[in-house]
Amino acid sequence: MKPKDLIRKSERYEKWENFTYEEPPKPLITYFTIYEKAKAAKHWIYDPEIKRWQTPEEFLELEKRMSGGEPKRLERLQIKDPMEGVNAAYEQLQSLKDRMEVFVKKIIAYYKQ
């Protein structure tokens, strides 16, 4: 046996060898927390998956009755200024109107011939 083998590793070194990093737990998101944040910011709650806007009060009432704060659903919710939704809808309408105008011109040109 070599002298090196006789020397025992320190406790600290053994702990370091076996160390595995554990993610700290994420703070628990509750529907009431989301409600309070939205209310404080005077914003609404937006669900990008189903493209639905809710006032904080509507959101709170729905969560109490329906899901009771399903964690995966709560994680995807966004607190936003509802004017962002109005502006996005306006842009979509403009785009649709522009496409319709191009289509109508194409029809008129086709039947003029």
Side-chain angles (χ1 to χ4, degrees):
M1 186 176 278
K2 296 180 183 176
K4 190 177 184 184
D5 297 332
L6 295 173
I7 299 173
R8 189 172 157 261
K9 294 179 181 174
S10 70
E11 259 184 59
R12 185 176 282 177
Y13 186 78
E14 286 178 5
K15 284 181 181 177
W16 179 252
E17 274 187 328
N18 300 324
F19 177 77
T20 54
Y21 177 74
E22 294 177 16
E23 287 263 344
K26 289 184 179 178
L28 184 62
I29 299 172
T30 65
Y31 68 88
F32 196 74
T33 309
I34 294 171
Y35 164 79
E36 286 179 326
K37 286 181 182 178
K39 192 78 172 160
K42 296 184 179 178
H43 286 165
W44 287 19
I45 293 108
Y46 178 67
D47 187 340
E49 189 172 292
I50 60 173
K51 296 179 175 36
R52 182 176 181 186
W53 288 89
Q54 296 173 304
T55 66
E57 293 76 19
E58 289 172 338
F59 171 75
L60 185 63
E61 183 61 35
L62 185 68
E63 288 301 312
K64 281 181 182 177
R65 280 189 293 128
M66 303 301 268
S67 71
E70 181 186 324
K72 288 187 178 182
R73 191 175 95 66
L74 293 179
E75 287 176 5
R76 74 173 183 249
L77 297 178
Q78 301 170 358
I79 298 171
K80 292 183 161 191
D81 184 349
M83 287 308 294
E84 289 181 42
V86 172
N87 292 335
Y90 180 77
E91 288 176 18
Q92 287 178 342
L93 285 173
Q94 274 303 120
S95 173
L96 189 59
K97 180 181 171 254
D98 294 344
R99 288 175 49 207
M100 183 194 68
E101 287 174 357
V102 168
F103 183 60
V104 168
K105 286 178 185 177
K106 189 175 178 181
I107 292 170
I108 291 171
Y110 179 81
Y111 286 107
K112 267 190 175 179
Q113 295 175 2

